[in-house]
């Protein structure tokens, strides 16, 4: 929430924008509240509303600006039902993989969803990725943030990878 400082650790993926809005919609449903169908309905509802966010901040001290419907930071590769949103990430790397889309229509965004199950979305020229340890991010308009499926509030966001804060058993 703007003006309020909250600290939260996450294990897999933190998302800003579209995926957080889907989770917000999914949790607010009054008729169908659980399961795959409710989630898919929430995706389609939010696809009708999603607009690119004007994102700005810093990635490892370098200025960052983008116009994107979503921004994800992955310590792990997967969110949801094994969607490989950050296929180049590893919890043991000491960084997170940042993934965002630029210049993408809502229909293009929909077409990317099946590709994320294979990590193939990152081959699209409109998808950007970079590895980083520290990120500050704000958006216009303010955007919802989720971490591992839990809504955290809205931007601005500061994210820092703290080496050895959590122990993982993972392949390198």
């Amino acid at each position: 929430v703007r003006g309020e400082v909250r600290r939260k650790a996450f294990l897999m993926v933190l998302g800003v924008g579209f995926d957080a809005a889907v989770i917000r919609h999914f949790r607010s449903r009054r008729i169908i509240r659980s399961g795959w169908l409710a989630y898919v309905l929430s995706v389609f509802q939010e696809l009708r509303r999603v607009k690119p966010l004007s994102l700005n901040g810093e990635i490892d001290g370098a200025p960052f600006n983008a116009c994107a419907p979503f921004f994800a930071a992955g310590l792990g590769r997967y969110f949801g039902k094994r969607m490989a949103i950050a296929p180049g990430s590893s919890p043991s790397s000491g960084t997170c993989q940042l993934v965002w889309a630029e210049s993408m229509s809502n229909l293009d965004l929909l077409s990317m969803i099946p590709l994320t199950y294979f990590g193939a979305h990152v081959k699209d020229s409109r998808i950007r990725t970079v590895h980083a340890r520290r990120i500050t991010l704000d958006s216009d308009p303010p955007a919802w943030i989720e971490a591992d499926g839990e809504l955290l509030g809205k931007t601005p966001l500061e994210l820092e990878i703290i080496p050895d804060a959590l122990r993982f058993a993972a392949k390198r």
Side-chain angles (χ1 to χ4, degrees), residues 1-166:
V1 180
R2 280 197 182 272
E4 179 183 329
V5 175
R6 294 179 61 195
R7 293 186 184 271
K8 182 75 175 172
F10 69 98
L11 297 175
M12 295 303 285
V13 177
L14 178 139
V16 176
F18 177 65
D19 61 310
V22 169
I23 289 170
R24 182 172 179 263
H25 188 268
F26 175 78
R27 295 187 187 276
S28 71
R29 298 205 46 91
R30 291 190 166 88
I31 298 170
I32 302 172
R33 289 185 179 232
S34 64
W36 182 81
L37 178 59
Y39 185 80
V40 169
L41 290 173
S42 296
V43 167
F44 282 106
Q45 285 291 96
E46 289 306 316
L47 269 171
R48 293 182 9 212
R49 293 187 255 255
V50 70
K51 292 185 170 97
L53 302 165
S54 176
L55 301 172
N56 61 75
E58 291 185 354
I59 296 176
D60 285 340
F64 171 75
N65 292 288
C67 186
F70 76 88
F71 181 93
L75 288 171
R77 294 181 176 134
Y78 305 103
F79 68 27
K81 298 279 186 184
R82 292 196 49 88
M83 295 176 81
I85 190 69
S89 66
S90 169
S92 61
S93 72
T95 64
C96 60
Q97 183 181 25
L98 307 178
V99 181
W100 67 95
E102 291 186 348
S103 304
M104 192 171 282
S105 72
N106 294 12
L107 188 56
D108 292 335
L109 183 59
L110 177 62
S111 73
M112 286 290 130
I113 293 172
L115 297 176
T116 62
Y117 284 94
F118 308 101
H121 62 294
V122 297
K123 294 177 182 175
D124 188 289
S125 63
R126 298 165 294 180
I127 301 292
R128 306 284 189 259
T129 70
V130 66
H131 288 266
R133 294 183 192 279
R134 183 160 173 67
I135 299 100
T136 60
L137 187 69
D138 205 352
S139 67
D140 185 24
W144 285 99
I145 304 166
E146 64 86 13
D148 297 332
E150 178 185 346
L151 287 174
L152 300 182
K154 290 189 172 183
T155 52
L157 164 74
E158 289 186 32
L159 187 149
E160 182 177 4
I161 304 302
I162 302 170
D164 300 321
L166 298 171

